[in-house]
Amino acid sequence: MKRIINEVGDKLKANDYKLTTQRQQILEVLLESKDQHLSAEDIYTLVKKKAPDVGLATVYRTLELFLEHDIIHSVNFGDGRKRYEYGHSSSGHHHHHAICLNCGKIIEINEDLLEELEKQVGIDYNFTVTDHELKIYGYCGECNQNNK
């Protein structure tokens, strides 16, 4: 974690920003929750446990700063809440999400399932694909079990 924090600090410094204590605390929450998809409010709640002086506006501003500098990326699952994950959106590897319509569980799918489709779209339509996002909706194993 320390290596990532140093890298983020260097990246911000190169762009004339500082990794303040509050920004670092927000980054730490994202790193500690890397398998979750946290909203700004979720992040705020977790940061408040460590640093009661951090305000919600600071969390929002920091998330926008991190997005702007490709430190995190955001995902919208159609529930009206933007979720955040640590990681670079331009890293070349995409992961996808399976979303349970009953309980809201979000399962990450790490295989890049659309690589061949991107290539074909590029060829067939003379189109340069820069990004994609795949969301699969259905029911998780636990909800399937409960509905039987």
Side-chain angles (χ1 to χ4, degrees):
M1 183 184 308
K2 188 170 185 142
R3 178 186 58 79
I4 293 171
I5 291 170
N6 289 335
E7 288 174 4
V8 169
D10 292 343
K11 188 172 203 172
L12 290 175
K13 188 175 184 179
N15 290 287
D16 296 324
Y17 290 94
K18 293 180 181 177
L19 183 61
T20 63
T21 302
Q22 292 178 329
R23 289 175 181 160
Q24 182 172 331
Q25 290 163 334
I26 293 165
L27 177 61
E28 287 173 2
V29 164
L30 286 163
L31 293 172
E32 291 165 358
S33 308
K34 67 179 183 175
D35 294 331
Q36 300 176 41
H37 303 84
L38 302 174
S39 69
E41 293 80 10
D42 296 332
I43 294 166
Y44 171 70
T45 300
L46 293 170
V47 169
K48 288 291 279 184
K49 292 177 184 176
K50 295 179 171 197
D53 60 321
V54 174
L56 183 58
T58 300
V59 172
Y60 276 108
R61 283 192 305 270
T62 299
L63 293 173
E64 288 305 312
L65 178 70
F66 287 173
L67 282 169
E68 182 181 319
H69 290 92
D70 201 28
I71 295 164
I72 62 172
H73 66 274
S74 64
V75 184
N76 186 333
F77 295 116
D79 62 356
R81 295 172 65 193
K82 192 184 282 190
R83 311 293 175 105
Y84 300 90
E85 299 177 300
Y86 172 78
H88 311 286
S89 61
S90 60
S91 65
H93 177 75
H94 302 277
H95 70 266
H96 309 289
H97 301 94
I99 303 155
C100 181
L101 294 169
N102 187 52
C103 70
K105 180 178 182 178
I106 300 166
I107 302 166
E108 286 194 6
I109 302 169
N110 289 311
E111 294 81 15
D112 191 352
L113 305 171
L114 300 180
E115 194 171 303
E116 288 303 314
L117 179 61
E118 282 185 352
K119 288 178 189 174
Q120 198 61 48
V121 166
I123 293 167
D124 292 350
Y125 299 95
N126 189 28
F127 187 82
T128 302
V129 178
T130 60
D131 198 4
H132 70 257
E133 183 178 304
L134 176 64
K135 297 177 226 167
I136 302 169
Y137 296 92
Y139 299 95
C140 69
E142 190 173 314
C143 288
N144 275 331
Q145 284 290 75
N146 291 341
N147 288 333
K148 289 184 178 182

